[in-house]
Protein backbone atom coordinates (compact mmCIF):
# COMPACT_ATOMS: atom_id res chain seq x y z
CA UNK A 1 0.00 0.00 0.00
CA UNK A 2 1.01 3.61 -0.39
CA UNK A 3 3.09 4.84 2.53
CA UNK A 4 0.92 6.34 5.24
CA UNK A 5 -2.33 4.63 4.19
CA UNK A 6 -3.68 1.12 4.56
CA UNK A 7 -5.46 0.98 1.20
CA UNK A 8 -4.64 2.59 -2.15
CA UNK A 9 -6.95 1.13 -4.77
CA UNK A 10 -7.71 1.34 -8.48
CA UNK A 11 -11.20 -0.02 -9.19
CA UNK A 12 -12.03 -1.43 -12.64
CA UNK A 13 -15.70 -1.79 -13.58
CA UNK A 14 -15.26 -5.13 -15.35
CA UNK A 15 -18.75 -6.37 -14.56
CA UNK A 16 -20.72 -4.05 -16.80
CA UNK A 17 -18.11 -4.45 -19.55
CA UNK A 18 -15.96 -7.47 -20.40
CA UNK A 19 -12.22 -6.83 -20.17
CA UNK A 20 -9.69 -9.31 -21.50
CA UNK A 21 -6.81 -10.63 -19.41
CA UNK A 22 -4.37 -8.50 -21.41
CA UNK A 23 -6.41 -5.34 -20.81
CA UNK A 24 -6.56 -6.01 -17.08
CA UNK A 25 -2.83 -6.73 -16.99
CA UNK A 26 -2.09 -3.40 -18.64
CA UNK A 27 -4.13 -1.56 -16.03
CA UNK A 28 -2.30 -3.52 -13.32
CA UNK A 29 1.02 -2.46 -14.89
CA UNK A 30 0.08 1.21 -14.77
CA UNK A 31 -1.39 1.05 -11.27
CA UNK A 32 1.61 -0.85 -9.90
CA UNK A 33 4.06 1.58 -11.47
CA UNK A 34 2.13 4.43 -9.89
CA UNK A 35 2.36 2.95 -6.41
CA UNK A 36 -1.13 1.60 -5.91
CA UNK A 37 -1.35 -1.38 -3.59
CA UNK A 38 -4.59 -2.95 -4.84
CA UNK A 39 -6.73 -3.39 -7.91
CA UNK A 40 -10.44 -3.90 -7.27
CA UNK A 41 -12.01 -6.06 -9.96
CA UNK A 42 -15.74 -5.36 -10.15
CA UNK A 43 -16.54 -8.64 -11.90
CA UNK A 44 -20.12 -8.63 -10.62
CA UNK A 45 -21.71 -5.26 -11.36
CA UNK A 46 -24.90 -5.44 -13.45
CA UNK A 47 -23.17 -8.10 -15.56
CA UNK A 48 -21.30 -11.08 -14.09
CA UNK A 49 -18.08 -11.40 -16.06
CA UNK A 50 -16.29 -14.28 -14.32
CA UNK A 51 -17.37 -17.92 -14.21
CA UNK A 52 -15.83 -20.55 -11.94
CA UNK A 53 -15.07 -24.05 -13.17
CA UNK A 54 -17.68 -25.38 -10.75
CA UNK A 55 -20.78 -23.20 -10.74
CA UNK A 56 -23.09 -25.75 -9.09
CA UNK A 57 -25.36 -24.38 -6.37
CA UNK A 58 -27.58 -25.93 -3.72
CA UNK A 59 -30.42 -23.65 -2.70
CA UNK A 60 -33.11 -24.63 -0.21
CA UNK A 61 -32.34 -28.31 -0.78
CA UNK A 62 -32.34 -28.12 -4.58
CA UNK A 63 -29.08 -28.59 -6.48
CA UNK A 64 -28.52 -26.78 -9.76
CA UNK A 65 -25.76 -28.22 -11.95
CA UNK A 66 -22.67 -26.26 -12.87
CA UNK A 67 -23.69 -26.34 -16.52
CA UNK A 68 -27.16 -24.96 -15.85
CA UNK A 69 -25.94 -22.17 -13.56
CA UNK A 70 -23.19 -21.15 -15.98
CA UNK A 71 -25.65 -21.15 -18.88
CA UNK A 72 -28.15 -19.06 -16.92
CA UNK A 73 -25.50 -16.49 -15.97
CA UNK A 74 -24.30 -16.39 -19.57
CA UNK A 75 -27.85 -15.81 -20.78
CA UNK A 76 -28.21 -13.00 -18.26
CA UNK A 77 -25.00 -11.42 -19.50
CA UNK A 78 -26.12 -11.71 -23.12
CA UNK A 79 -29.43 -10.07 -22.25
CA UNK A 80 -27.60 -7.23 -20.50
CA UNK A 81 -25.12 -6.67 -23.35
CA UNK A 82 -23.89 -9.14 -25.94
CA UNK A 83 -20.11 -8.88 -26.18
CA UNK A 84 -18.10 -11.21 -28.44
CA UNK A 85 -16.76 -12.71 -25.21
CA UNK A 86 -18.85 -12.37 -22.08
CA UNK A 87 -16.93 -13.90 -19.17
CA UNK A 88 -13.47 -14.61 -17.86
CA UNK A 89 -12.74 -18.25 -17.09
CA UNK A 90 -11.26 -19.47 -13.81
CA UNK A 91 -7.97 -20.19 -15.58
CA UNK A 92 -7.90 -16.59 -16.81
CA UNK A 93 -8.69 -15.20 -13.36
CA UNK A 94 -5.96 -17.40 -11.89
CA UNK A 95 -3.58 -15.76 -14.37
CA UNK A 96 -4.75 -12.24 -13.42
CA UNK A 97 -4.27 -12.94 -9.72
CA UNK A 98 -0.82 -14.39 -10.30
CA UNK A 99 0.18 -11.40 -12.44
CA UNK A 100 -1.02 -8.91 -9.84
CA UNK A 101 1.06 -10.73 -7.23
CA UNK A 102 4.12 -10.52 -9.47
CA UNK A 103 3.56 -6.77 -9.65
CA UNK A 104 3.26 -6.48 -5.87
CA UNK A 105 -0.46 -5.72 -5.93
CA UNK A 106 -3.33 -7.28 -4.04
CA UNK A 107 -6.66 -8.01 -5.72
CA UNK A 108 -9.98 -7.03 -4.15
CA UNK A 109 -12.93 -8.78 -5.78
CA UNK A 110 -16.22 -6.92 -6.02
CA UNK A 111 -19.48 -8.83 -6.47
CA UNK A 112 -22.33 -6.39 -6.06
CA UNK A 113 -25.54 -7.55 -4.37
CA UNK A 114 -28.43 -7.19 -3.57
CA UNK A 115 -28.56 -4.57 -6.35
CA UNK A 116 -26.56 -4.11 -9.56
CA UNK A 117 -26.92 -7.83 -10.29
CA UNK A 118 -28.87 -8.03 -13.56
CA UNK A 119 -27.26 -11.25 -14.82
CA UNK A 120 -27.40 -13.03 -11.44
CA UNK A 121 -31.01 -11.95 -10.87
CA UNK A 122 -32.02 -13.27 -14.27
CA UNK A 123 -30.33 -16.58 -13.46
CA UNK A 124 -31.96 -16.77 -10.03
CA UNK A 125 -35.44 -16.27 -11.46
CA UNK A 126 -34.99 -18.66 -14.39
CA UNK A 127 -33.44 -21.48 -12.33
CA UNK A 128 -35.67 -21.33 -9.25
CA UNK A 129 -38.90 -20.58 -11.09
CA UNK A 130 -39.50 -17.83 -8.53
CA UNK A 131 -39.72 -14.14 -9.32
CA UNK A 132 -36.70 -12.96 -7.33
CA UNK A 133 -36.88 -9.29 -8.37
CA UNK A 134 -37.85 -6.41 -6.11
CA UNK A 135 -40.99 -4.73 -7.52
CA UNK A 136 -40.05 -5.40 -11.13
CA UNK A 137 -36.43 -4.25 -10.91
CA UNK A 138 -34.15 -5.76 -13.55
CA UNK A 139 -31.12 -5.64 -11.29
CA UNK A 140 -32.14 -5.94 -7.64
CA UNK A 141 -33.42 -8.93 -5.67
CA UNK A 142 -36.26 -8.68 -3.19
CA UNK A 143 -34.49 -8.93 0.17
CA UNK A 144 -37.78 -10.03 1.76
CA UNK A 145 -37.97 -13.04 -0.59
CA UNK A 146 -36.28 -16.03 1.06
CA UNK A 147 -35.62 -17.83 -2.24
CA UNK A 148 -34.00 -14.76 -3.79
CA UNK A 149 -31.81 -14.26 -0.74
CA UNK A 150 -30.83 -17.92 -0.45
CA UNK A 151 -29.89 -18.16 -4.14
CA UNK A 152 -27.88 -14.95 -4.12
CA UNK A 153 -26.00 -15.75 -0.94
CA UNK A 154 -25.19 -19.27 -2.15
CA UNK A 155 -23.87 -17.72 -5.36
CA UNK A 156 -21.78 -15.15 -3.51
CA UNK A 157 -20.40 -17.87 -1.23
CA UNK A 158 -18.83 -19.62 -4.24
CA UNK A 159 -16.81 -16.52 -5.04
CA UNK A 160 -15.98 -15.76 -1.42
CA UNK A 161 -14.49 -19.25 -1.15
CA UNK A 162 -12.54 -18.91 -4.41
CA UNK A 163 -10.98 -15.55 -3.67
CA UNK A 164 -10.25 -16.41 -0.04
CA UNK A 165 -8.48 -19.52 -1.30
CA UNK A 166 -6.33 -17.29 -3.50
CA UNK A 167 -5.21 -15.25 -0.50
CA UNK A 168 -7.32 -12.13 -1.05
CA UNK A 169 -7.67 -9.98 2.07
CA UNK A 170 -10.76 -7.94 1.19
CA UNK A 171 -14.06 -8.61 -0.60
CA UNK A 172 -16.39 -5.81 -1.69
CA UNK A 173 -20.09 -6.75 -1.51
CA UNK A 174 -21.21 -3.51 -3.21
CA UNK A 175 -24.63 -3.09 -1.53
CA UNK A 176 -25.33 0.28 -3.21
CA UNK A 177 -28.20 1.84 -5.17
CA UNK A 178 -30.99 -0.60 -4.33
CA UNK A 179 -33.46 -0.86 -7.24
CA UNK A 180 -32.13 2.34 -8.76
CA UNK A 181 -33.54 1.30 -12.15
CA UNK A 182 -37.11 0.92 -10.87
CA UNK A 183 -37.17 3.84 -8.42
CA UNK A 184 -34.81 6.32 -10.04
CA UNK A 185 -37.31 9.16 -9.56
CA UNK A 186 -38.64 8.04 -6.17
CA UNK A 187 -37.37 9.95 -3.14
CA UNK A 188 -34.53 7.85 -1.80
CA UNK A 189 -34.76 5.47 -4.77
CA UNK A 190 -35.02 1.84 -3.62
CA UNK A 191 -33.68 2.50 -0.14
CA UNK A 192 -36.35 5.13 0.37
CA UNK A 193 -38.99 2.70 -0.89
CA UNK A 194 -37.79 -0.03 1.49
CA UNK A 195 -37.94 2.38 4.40
CA UNK A 196 -41.38 3.66 3.47
CA UNK A 197 -42.62 0.05 3.42
CA UNK A 198 -40.99 -0.79 6.75
CA UNK A 199 -38.72 -3.34 5.06
CA UNK A 200 -35.30 -1.69 5.38
CA UNK A 201 -34.43 -4.09 8.23
CA UNK A 202 -34.32 -6.91 5.68
CA UNK A 203 -31.57 -5.04 3.83
CA UNK A 204 -29.64 -4.54 7.10
CA UNK A 205 -29.87 -8.27 7.82
CA UNK A 206 -28.83 -9.14 4.26
CA UNK A 207 -25.73 -6.94 4.40
CA UNK A 208 -24.70 -8.26 7.80
CA UNK A 209 -25.16 -11.86 6.67
CA UNK A 210 -22.95 -11.37 3.62
CA UNK A 211 -20.37 -9.57 5.77
CA UNK A 212 -20.36 -12.60 8.09
CA UNK A 213 -19.78 -14.92 5.11
CA UNK A 214 -16.77 -12.84 4.08
CA UNK A 215 -15.37 -12.66 7.61
CA UNK A 216 -15.83 -16.40 8.12
CA UNK A 217 -13.62 -16.92 5.06
CA UNK A 218 -10.86 -14.83 6.64
CA UNK A 219 -11.38 -11.69 4.57
CA UNK A 220 -12.53 -8.17 5.46
CA UNK A 221 -15.88 -7.07 4.00
CA UNK A 222 -16.26 -3.81 2.12
CA UNK A 223 -19.34 -1.98 0.83
CA UNK A 224 -20.25 1.30 -0.81
CA UNK A 225 -21.70 3.86 1.56
CA UNK A 226 -25.13 4.90 0.38
CA UNK A 227 -27.19 2.04 1.79
CA UNK A 228 -25.53 2.05 5.20
CA UNK A 229 -27.91 3.89 7.56
CA UNK A 230 -29.59 5.50 4.56
CA UNK A 231 -31.35 8.77 5.40
CA UNK A 232 -29.66 8.63 8.82
CA UNK A 233 -31.98 5.79 9.84
CA UNK A 234 -30.58 3.70 12.72
CA UNK A 235 -33.92 2.28 13.81
CA UNK A 236 -34.02 -0.77 11.53
CA UNK A 237 -30.94 -2.51 12.88
CA UNK A 238 -27.20 -2.12 13.40
CA UNK A 239 -24.70 -2.64 10.61
CA UNK A 240 -21.48 -4.57 11.29
CA UNK A 241 -18.75 -1.96 11.80
CA UNK A 242 -16.13 -4.40 10.49
CA UNK A 243 -17.41 -3.44 7.02
CA UNK A 244 -14.94 -1.05 5.40
CA UNK A 245 -16.95 1.79 3.83
CA UNK A 246 -16.07 2.94 0.31
CA UNK A 247 -17.55 6.43 0.44
CA UNK A 248 -18.42 7.68 -3.05
CA UNK A 249 -21.35 10.10 -2.57
CA UNK A 250 -23.16 12.07 0.11
CA UNK A 251 -26.21 12.18 -2.15
CA UNK A 252 -28.33 14.87 -3.75
CA UNK A 253 -31.68 16.55 -3.14
CA UNK A 254 -33.76 13.35 -3.26
CA UNK A 255 -31.11 10.88 -2.08
CA UNK A 256 -29.72 11.11 1.44
CA UNK A 257 -26.95 8.75 2.52
CA UNK A 258 -25.46 9.14 5.99
CA UNK A 259 -22.49 11.53 6.00
CA UNK A 260 -18.93 10.23 6.01
CA UNK A 261 -18.26 11.91 9.33
CA UNK A 262 -21.27 10.22 10.96
CA UNK A 263 -20.28 6.82 9.62
CA UNK A 264 -16.73 7.33 10.88
CA UNK A 265 -18.07 8.30 14.29
CA UNK A 266 -19.91 4.97 14.42
CA UNK A 267 -16.58 3.17 14.09
CA UNK A 268 -16.41 2.34 10.39
CA UNK A 269 -13.08 2.48 8.55
CA UNK A 270 -13.47 4.88 5.64
CA UNK A 271 -12.02 4.71 2.11
CA UNK A 272 -12.27 7.93 0.10
CA UNK A 273 -13.96 6.85 -3.15
CA UNK A 274 -14.92 10.38 -4.16
CA UNK A 275 -17.27 10.27 -7.14
CA UNK A 276 -15.97 13.59 -8.49
CA UNK A 277 -12.66 11.92 -9.34
CA UNK A 278 -13.99 8.96 -11.35
CA UNK A 279 -12.85 8.22 -14.90
CA UNK A 280 -16.05 7.21 -16.71
CA UNK A 281 -15.92 5.49 -20.08
CA UNK A 282 -18.64 7.01 -22.25
CA UNK A 283 -19.01 10.28 -20.33
CA UNK A 284 -16.48 12.83 -21.52
CA UNK A 285 -17.32 15.36 -18.80
CA UNK A 286 -16.63 12.77 -16.09
CA UNK A 287 -13.12 11.72 -17.02
CA UNK A 288 -10.85 12.98 -14.28
CA UNK A 289 -7.96 14.92 -15.75
CA UNK A 290 -4.40 14.92 -14.47
CA UNK A 291 -4.73 18.52 -13.32
CA UNK A 292 -7.93 17.82 -11.41
CA UNK A 293 -6.57 14.62 -9.90
CA UNK A 294 -3.49 16.42 -8.62
CA UNK A 295 -5.77 18.38 -6.28
CA UNK A 296 -7.31 15.29 -4.67
CA UNK A 297 -7.08 15.21 -0.87
CA UNK A 298 -7.55 11.91 0.88
CA UNK A 299 -9.14 13.72 3.83
CA UNK A 300 -11.78 15.53 1.74
CA UNK A 301 -14.66 13.10 1.42
CA UNK A 302 -17.91 14.14 -0.28
CA UNK A 303 -19.51 16.51 2.22
CA UNK A 304 -17.11 15.77 5.09
CA UNK A 305 -13.51 15.92 6.22
CA UNK A 306 -12.11 12.72 7.74
CA UNK A 307 -8.94 13.03 9.80
CA UNK A 308 -7.91 9.38 9.74
CA UNK A 309 -9.05 7.75 6.49
CA UNK A 310 -8.27 4.10 5.86
CA UNK A 311 -7.37 4.73 2.23
CA UNK A 312 -8.48 6.02 -1.16
CA UNK A 313 -9.89 4.56 -4.35
CA UNK A 314 -9.66 5.77 -7.94
CA UNK A 315 -12.57 4.33 -9.94
CA UNK A 316 -12.62 3.47 -13.63
CA UNK A 317 -16.34 3.18 -14.32
CA UNK A 318 -18.19 2.16 -17.47
CA UNK A 319 -21.47 3.52 -18.81
CA UNK A 320 -20.84 3.08 -22.56
CA UNK A 321 -20.77 -0.64 -23.29
CA UNK A 322 -20.44 -0.36 -27.07
CA UNK A 323 -16.94 1.15 -27.08
CA UNK A 324 -14.19 -1.37 -27.70
CA UNK A 325 -11.31 -1.88 -25.29
CA UNK A 326 -9.12 0.05 -27.72
CA UNK A 327 -11.21 3.10 -26.90
CA UNK A 328 -10.62 2.61 -23.21
CA UNK A 329 -7.59 4.36 -21.76
CA UNK A 330 -4.85 2.61 -19.91
CA UNK A 331 -4.53 5.11 -17.10
CA UNK A 332 -1.07 5.97 -15.91
CA UNK A 333 -1.80 6.91 -12.34
CA UNK A 334 0.63 8.40 -9.85
CA UNK A 335 -0.24 8.48 -6.18
CA UNK A 336 1.85 10.59 -3.85
CA UNK A 337 1.31 10.01 -0.13
CA UNK A 338 2.52 12.23 2.68
CA UNK A 339 2.73 11.71 6.40
CA UNK A 340 0.19 14.53 6.79
CA UNK A 341 -2.42 12.05 5.45
CA UNK A 342 -2.83 13.88 2.15
CA UNK A 343 -2.67 12.12 -1.19
CA UNK A 344 -2.60 13.33 -4.78
CA UNK A 345 -3.69 11.23 -7.72
CA UNK A 346 -2.14 12.34 -10.98
CA UNK A 347 -3.76 10.58 -13.91
CA UNK A 348 -2.90 10.69 -17.56
CA UNK A 349 -4.63 8.60 -20.21
CA UNK A 350 -3.01 6.97 -23.17
CA UNK A 351 -4.70 4.63 -25.64
CA UNK A 352 -4.23 0.90 -25.38
Amino acid sequence: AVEGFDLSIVMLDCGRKYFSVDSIKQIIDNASAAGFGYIMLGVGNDGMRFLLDDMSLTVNGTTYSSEKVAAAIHAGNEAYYNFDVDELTQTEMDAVLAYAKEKGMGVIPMLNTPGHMDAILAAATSLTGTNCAYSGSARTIDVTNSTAVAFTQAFVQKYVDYFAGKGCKYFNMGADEYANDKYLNYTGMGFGKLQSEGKYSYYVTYVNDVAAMIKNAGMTPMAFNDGIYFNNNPSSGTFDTDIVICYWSNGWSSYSPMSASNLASKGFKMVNTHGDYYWVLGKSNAQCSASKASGFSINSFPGSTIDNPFGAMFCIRVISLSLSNKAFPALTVTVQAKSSSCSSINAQAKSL
Side-chain angles (χ1 to χ4, degrees):
V2 174
E3 182 181 355
F5 306 107
D6 293 276
L7 292 177
S8 52
I9 306 166
V10 171
M11 190 280 263
L12 177 63
D13 186 2
C14 51
R16 287 188 176 97
K17 179 174 172 60
Y18 169 82
F19 284 85
S20 68
V21 172
D22 286 343
S23 294
I24 296 172
K25 283 182 176 180
Q26 189 165 2
I27 292 169
I28 289 172
D29 285 342
N30 291 334
S32 175
F36 279 94
Y38 291 88
I39 182 167
M40 182 179 289
L41 297 177
V43 294
N45 198 36
D46 292 359
M48 182 66 214
R49 303 295 173 187
F50 166 41
L51 294 179
L52 297 165
D53 290 343
D54 177 13
M55 293 295 297
S56 61
L57 295 176
T58 299
V59 181
N60 293 335
T62 300
T63 297
Y64 304 95
S65 71
S66 179
E67 293 76 15
K68 286 186 176 180
V69 176
I73 293 294
H74 180 70
N77 281 330
E78 293 264 287
Y80 179 72
Y81 192 89
N82 185 8
F83 294 105
D84 292 336
V85 179
D86 289 292
E87 303 97 11
L88 293 168
T89 67
Q90 184 169 325
T91 298
E92 289 173 324
M93 183 58 74
D94 288 347
V96 168
L97 292 167
Y99 190 77
K101 186 175 181 179
E102 288 177 15
K103 294 294 182 177
M105 294 189 72
V107 172
I108 301 174
M110 188 189 90
L111 204 172
N112 205 336
T113 69
H116 282 300
M117 47 177 288
D118 303 47
I120 303 169
L121 171 56
T125 294
S126 66
L127 290 170
T128 65
T130 299
N131 180 6
C132 293
Y134 177 68
S135 297
S137 171
R139 63 180 45 119
T140 302
I141 62 164
D142 182 353
V143 288
T144 73
N145 181 318
S146 60
T147 298
V149 169
F151 184 96
T152 303
Q153 291 182 348
F155 186 90
V156 172
Q157 186 70 63
K158 302 281 290 189
Y159 288 87
V160 168
D161 292 344
Y162 169 79
F163 283 107
K166 292 295 181 179
C168 294
K169 297 179 180 179
Y170 299 89
F171 190 105
N172 189 343
M173 70 176 84
D176 62 323
E177 293 186 324
Y178 191 84
N180 66 329
D181 58 330
K182 181 69 176 179
Y183 293 104
L184 183 61
N185 297 316
Y186 186 90
T187 299
M189 294 202 294
F191 292 125
K193 185 67 172 175
L194 279 178
Q195 290 181 346
S196 70
E197 294 176 337
K199 297 177 179 178
Y200 181 64
S201 62
Y202 288 89
Y203 170 81
V204 177
T205 298
Y206 179 90
V207 169
N208 285 339
D209 286 348
V210 175
M213 290 163 49
I214 295 166
K215 289 163 64 175
N216 288 340
M219 296 184 290
T220 299
M222 307 177 82
F224 294 110
N225 67 281
D226 43 314
I228 310 300
Y229 296 115
F230 182 79
N231 202 26
N232 296 297
N233 181 350
S235 63
S236 298
T238 302
F239 288 95
D240 185 348
T241 53
D242 287 339
I243 299 169
V244 175
I245 302 297
C246 304
Y247 201 96
W248 69 279
S249 175
N250 64 330
W252 45 91
S253 59
S254 60
Y255 197 65
S256 305
M258 180 171 277
S259 69
S261 57
N262 282 350
L263 287 172
S265 71
K266 287 183 175 292
F268 292 100
K269 293 179 179 178
M270 307 294 294
V271 174
N272 192 340
T273 312
H274 204 307
D276 287 351
Y277 294 88
Y278 282 19
W279 205 100
V280 183
L281 177 64
K283 192 174 183 181
S284 59
N285 64 347
Q287 295 175 350
C288 184
S289 67
S291 59
K292 179 176 180 177
S294 65
F296 175 82
S297 168
I298 194 170
N299 301 95
S300 297
F301 282 61
S304 300
T305 298
I306 302 298
D307 293 332
N308 57 341
F310 195 54
M313 189 191 308
F314 177 73
C315 293
I316 303 170
R317 183 172 172 246
V318 176
I319 62 169
S320 178
L321 302 174
S322 61
L323 294 176
S324 72
N325 282 356
K326 289 184 178 180
F328 194 89
L331 295 172
T332 302
V333 188
T334 301
V335 175
Q336 298 173 338
K338 301 179 181 179
S339 59
S340 61
S341 296
C342 290
S343 155
S344 294
I345 298 178
N346 178 22
Q348 181 176 350
K350 60 183 181 181
S351 61
L352 286 172

